Amino acid sequence: MNNKKRIVTFGEVLLRFNPTGYERLLQASNWKASYSGAEANVAVSLANFDQEVFLVTKVPSHDIGQCAVNWLRHYGVHMSKCARGGDRLGIYFIEKGASQRPSKVIYDRKDSAFSLSKPEDYDWNEILSNAGWFHFTGITPAVGGSLPEICLEACKTAKKLGLTISCDLNFRRKLWSAEQAQKTMLLLLPYVDVFISNMSDVCEIFGILPETCDIETAILNREGPTSVSRQLVEKFGFGKVALTLRKSISADINDWGGMIYDGEKKEGTFSPRYSITMIDRVGGGDAFSAGIIYSLITGMPVQEGIDFAVASSCLKHTIENDFNLASVDEVKSLSAGNSSGRVQR
């Protein structure tokens, strides 16, 4: 595919608040503000990789909405397809975990501008014209209202126009149940070419399990992820399945890897594994998605591509806030084995 074809992502922009350092939400007196959102995170990563990427969303017309737009523009994301309306931007609060204390997220996104989106807010034929790739996550329909219907129309239009469609399942229990997610995603996933997830979410929503072992064991071997990917391809017809493989040692230390499965060749390719000391976990999966998209758009060999996606995500875990600000050269350096973290002078 021509890597100059624009990429379009669709999802909510959120205002993120977190206490300074590792303070708990209960004790916070100072708050750090930034902007985020799964599809926004993917868009920033891809813009940082020198791709032409548009984020489609809806924000209020007031100053906070404009600040969110400006924030994304600052990182090179095109915002000209952004709808305006509503009274509030969605918010989330995050408490960063440490050691055996997990991170915690509280959403405040009810009646946000994006959640009140209407089909007429988005002219998908115009938005997707001259685009080559469309990306969304399961969070977008989970926000509710008319968004499942809007997502379906976007996917139908993208398919009609010949775009490649990717979806990160991104199951969020605080937004909808597994039963609700299954009902909606069964309508959307038949349009998807590249499916991205982790095995736990696939199991919870679709009941697809590794055939040779349990989920925890499967994260550390090759048979389990290959089995899950093959079953997903058989069920939905995906061209490719990309899975993150995370083993959480503590809130600070994670074992991290990934694989990509070719539905036509019926074979999986695995990345090296990293032991990550985390600075900020949020956005790690989105960085993986962006790496997968970039590797496929630019025609990387399959091993190089999955290595790039996992290295990209690995670096994101070391960066504050949601956006991955690692460059292509930095990612390629890590994927080539330069993982010592020595000072560059």
Side-chain angles (χ1 to χ4, degrees):
M1 180 180 295
N2 183 348
N3 65 354
K4 295 305 181 183
K5 281 279 191 178
R6 67 176 57 161
I7 304 161
V8 176
T9 71
F10 177 50
E12 184 168 26
V13 177
L14 296 168
L15 177 57
R16 164 180 161 157
F17 287 109
N18 58 271
T20 56
Y22 287 89
E23 288 187 347
R24 303 210 67 182
L25 295 173
L26 289 166
Q27 67 184 132
S29 57
N30 294 305
W31 297 87
K32 182 178 180 181
S34 57
Y35 292 90
S36 66
E39 294 82 1
N41 298 341
V42 172
V44 170
S45 284
L46 289 166
N48 204 45
F49 296 158
D50 198 30
Q51 297 298 298
E52 184 185 18
V53 57
F54 288 69
L55 174 65
V56 179
T57 189
K58 185 175 183 179
V59 300
S61 298
H62 55 51
D63 288 353
I64 301 300
Q66 187 60 47
C67 187
V69 170
N70 293 348
W71 195 279
L72 272 296
R73 283 177 174 162
H74 172 76
Y75 289 106
V77 177
H78 295 276
M79 299 296 292
S80 59
K81 308 299 182 183
C82 176
R84 297 299 184 103
D87 297 321
R88 65 186 302 266
L89 198 71
I91 298 171
Y92 88 95
F93 301 86
I94 179 166
E95 172 186 305
K96 290 168 65 175
S99 191
Q100 279 68 51
R101 175 172 58 84
S103 297
K104 179 187 292 185
V105 169
I106 296 176
Y107 291 117
D108 177 18
R109 59 205 303 176
K110 184 179 179 181
D111 295 330
S112 67
F114 186 73
S115 73
L116 299 176
S117 290
K118 300 300 180 187
E120 55 267 27
D121 289 328
Y122 309 101
D123 181 350
W124 290 111
N125 279 298
E126 190 278 327
I127 290 169
L128 297 174
S129 64
N130 198 37
W133 197 289
F134 176 67
H135 177 77
F136 71 103
T137 79
I139 295 173
T140 296
V143 172
S146 297
L147 284 162
E149 174 189 350
I150 295 169
C151 273
L152 183 59
E153 183 59 31
C155 287
K156 287 180 176 179
T157 304
K159 186 62 67 176
K160 179 185 69 177
L161 295 176
L163 278 69
T164 301
I165 303 173
S166 59
C167 174
D168 182 346
L169 187 57
N170 247 351
F171 178 48
R172 296 291 183 265
R173 293 170 187 82
K174 291 187 176 181
L175 296 181
W176 60 356
S177 68
E179 292 74 23
Q180 291 171 316
Q182 181 187 86
K183 181 179 178 181
T184 298
M185 298 310 292
L186 284 174
L187 298 176
L188 296 172
L189 292 181
Y191 295 91
V192 170
D193 302 292
V194 180
F195 177 76
I196 304 163
S197 185
N198 62 62
M199 288 193 293
S200 296
D201 287 355
V202 170
C203 172
E204 187 163 356
I205 294 178
F206 301 117
I208 295 176
L209 290 164
E211 295 168 315
T212 57
C213 54
D214 60 29
I215 291 288
E216 286 299 316
T217 304
I219 289 172
L220 300 174
N221 68 25
R222 297 193 171 204
E223 292 78 13
T226 301
S227 168
V228 167
S229 298
R230 178 182 55 75
Q231 293 177 71
L232 283 165
V233 169
E234 290 173 353
K235 184 176 182 67
F236 294 105
F238 302 132
K240 290 182 171 57
V241 172
L243 298 176
T244 57
L245 304 172
R246 183 193 298 271
K247 183 174 178 60
S248 183
I249 311 302
S250 69
D252 305 286
I253 306 295
N254 277 194
D255 182 60
W256 183 250
M259 66 89 68
I260 188 164
Y261 182 85
D262 188 305
E264 183 177 349
K265 294 180 180 179
K266 299 182 180 179
E267 61 184 26
T269 304
F270 289 75
S271 76
R273 302 186 73 87
Y274 297 94
S275 178
I276 306 174
T277 301
M278 291 188 292
I279 300 299
D280 198 324
R281 171 172 170 167
V282 180
D286 303 321
F288 177 78
S289 293
I292 290 292
I293 293 169
Y294 179 79
S295 72
L296 293 173
I297 282 180
T298 57
M300 288 184 184
V302 62
Q303 185 67 64
E304 181 183 343
I306 188 61
D307 291 355
F308 181 91
V310 171
S312 171
S313 181
C314 178
L315 288 173
K316 163 59 201 79
H317 286 78
T318 71
I319 298 170
E320 290 275 9
N321 303 330
D322 288 46
F323 296 162
N324 183 21
L325 304 179
S327 69
V328 169
D329 287 345
E330 288 172 323
V331 175
K332 287 187 173 181
S333 177
L334 176 57
S335 65
N338 299 321
S339 59
S340 68
R342 295 182 64 180
V343 176
Q344 296 179 358
R345 301 183 188 274

